[in-house]
Amino acid sequence: MALLNADQITRADDRRWEDVDVPEWDGTVRILALSGTDRNAYQSSLVVLGPNGSVQRMNMQDQMARLLAKSLVAEDFTRLFTDKDIKALGAKNGAVLHRLSVVAQRLSGLRDEDVQAQAGNSGAAQSGASTSD
């Protein structure tokens, strides 16, 4: 494969999505993998930092709804929910939210096994000359 330049990378359409039937809601939803920016924002929202900048605790309140608010999109890939809608989305059936959040986690590489696989493969892609002895 040829090396890509910056323009080719930014123009590439790498969106991944999945349409999921939700019988409890009498329809289907589209779940879009998070962009890098949205993934970082979601992960940051799970951490509460102390005054010295260290992790004080995890913020698990409405975590599924926060993820789905960023992941549920219309046919044209615009978000269905804003961050202001998280409480309303979080009030929906927990089993449904869980089922949908599992899909969103998988598409966005947020599952434990995805993170471990990425960490395990980080050194495998290196090739070419090395300056280490």
Side-chain angles (χ1 to χ4, degrees), residues 39 43 109-120:
R39 181 179 164 167
Q43 289 176 314
L110 289 170
R111 300 176 306 175
D112 288 341
E113 57 264 35
D114 299 324
V115 173
Q116 290 169 2
Q118 290 168 8

Side-chain angles (χ1 to χ4, degrees), residues 24-126:
E24 298 90 340
W25 296 347
D26 294 322
T28 301
V29 297
R30 176 164 290 172
I31 301 175
L32 179 66
L34 297 179
S35 68
T37 300
D38 282 341
R39 181 179 164 167
N40 289 342
Y42 168 71
Q43 289 176 314
S44 294
S45 76
L46 299 177
V47 177
V48 177
L49 298 178
N52 63 356
S54 65
V55 175
Q56 184 177 19
R57 65 181 172 81
M58 297 301 292
N59 177 15
M60 304 310 284
Q61 183 176 357
D62 286 325
Q63 67 154 336
M64 292 183 296
R66 281 187 273 153
L67 174 60
L68 291 172
K70 293 185 179 305
S71 302
L72 291 171
V73 296
E75 194 170 340
D76 65 356
F77 298 103
T78 57
R79 281 177 60 175
L80 295 178
F81 297 95
T82 68
D83 291 344
K84 293 178 182 179
D85 299 321
I86 289 171
K87 287 287 183 200
L89 184 56
K92 300 305 295 175
N93 182 318
V96 174
L97 295 178
H98 175 74
R99 191 170 70 241
L100 297 176
S101 68
V102 167
V103 174
Q105 289 170 354
R106 178 175 44 78
L107 289 172
S108 298
L110 289 170
R111 300 176 306 175
D112 288 341
E113 57 264 35
D114 299 324
V115 173
Q116 290 169 2
Q118 290 168 8
N121 291 333
S122 62
Q126 186 175 347

